[in-house]
Amino acid sequence: MILQISNLTEDHAKQICNWKYPGVYSIYNYPSWEFIKRNNWAITNIDRRKNEFYSVLNEQNLLFGFFRILPIQNKLILGLGIAPEFCGYGFGHDFVELITKYTQNKFPLQKIYMEVREFNKRAMKCYESVGYVNVEKYYKETPIGGSDFFLFEYKND
């Protein structure tokens, strides 16, 4: 699959709100666009969307996934999502590799990290296949629920 990075439009953000993941992955379901807009989530803010969020489109120009580059202290935290219809088919490695290389090129002197909920073994396996290493475990509250997380650091050496 050929993937390309683009700007995350409001239409893309609204599509993400309609993605529905099954089972334990439903924790990643966004609330409605109206709810997140009313509650000022970053993805609804045009300036933050322009500076932090990116779409990843497939060869049919359809929204395959998205990612966010969030600078926190001296770290770059990558957040991501793949459209549910593309999950579980082995596309994750290429997706994570693409967004990691993009982030590396854009911020060559910064260390890159990804957070993953403790239960998400599928994501951890994918991140490790690209070169990320688990460096920390902690509890974190999020707008969609708190849980234990692992922090993965990209090790490109």
Side-chain angles (χ1 to χ4, degrees):
M1 180 174 291
I2 299 169
L3 300 173
Q4 64 180 1
I5 295 172
S6 182
N7 295 325
L8 185 81
T9 65
E10 183 174 311
D11 180 58
H12 290 158
K14 288 178 178 178
Q15 286 180 48
I16 292 164
C17 290
N18 291 322
W19 291 353
K20 299 301 174 216
Y21 299 96
V24 294
Y25 299 105
S26 66
I27 190 79
Y28 299 117
N29 294 345
Y30 268 64
S32 71
W33 176 257
E34 293 76 23
F35 176 87
I36 67 171
K37 181 87 170 156
R38 189 172 51 251
N39 288 282
N40 299 313
W41 285 29
I43 200 169
T44 66
N45 178 291
I46 192 167
D47 292 326
R48 293 193 68 191
R49 200 168 49 241
K50 180 181 172 191
N51 293 314
E52 298 173 15
F53 292 87
Y54 303 85
S55 294
V56 177
L57 308 175
N58 69 10
E59 58 269 10
Q60 285 85 35
N61 217 30
L62 298 174
L63 183 61
F64 173 87
F66 76 99
F67 66 103
R68 180 182 190 189
I69 302 172
L70 189 61
I72 298 178
Q73 297 167 359
N74 63 340
K75 299 176 182 170
L76 292 177
I77 307 291
L78 290 184
L80 63 85
I82 295 176
E85 62 266 28
F86 298 116
C87 290
Y89 294 103
F91 301 130
H93 176 89
D94 290 345
F95 175 72
V96 172
E97 188 173 61
L98 174 72
I99 68 175
T100 299
K101 297 299 182 201
Y102 178 87
T103 305
Q104 235 182 352
N105 288 335
K106 189 169 173 118
F107 303 98
L109 303 177
Q110 296 280 337
K111 289 189 174 193
I112 303 170
Y113 296 85
M114 294 176 70
E115 294 179 312
V116 61
R117 290 178 186 267
E118 181 181 37
F119 78 86
N120 197 341
K121 306 291 187 228
R122 182 171 73 182
M124 287 185 249
K125 183 178 176 185
C126 176
Y127 301 165
E128 289 169 342
S129 78
V130 175
Y132 285 84
V133 176
N134 184 348
V135 294
E136 185 180 345
K137 180 181 178 181
Y138 50 91
Y139 181 84
K140 178 179 171 181
E141 285 291 337
T142 75
I144 57 174
S147 67
D148 287 325
F149 281 80
F150 290 115
L151 184 68
F152 279 73
E153 181 181 350
Y154 182 63
K155 303 282 191 176
N156 57 347
D157 33 355

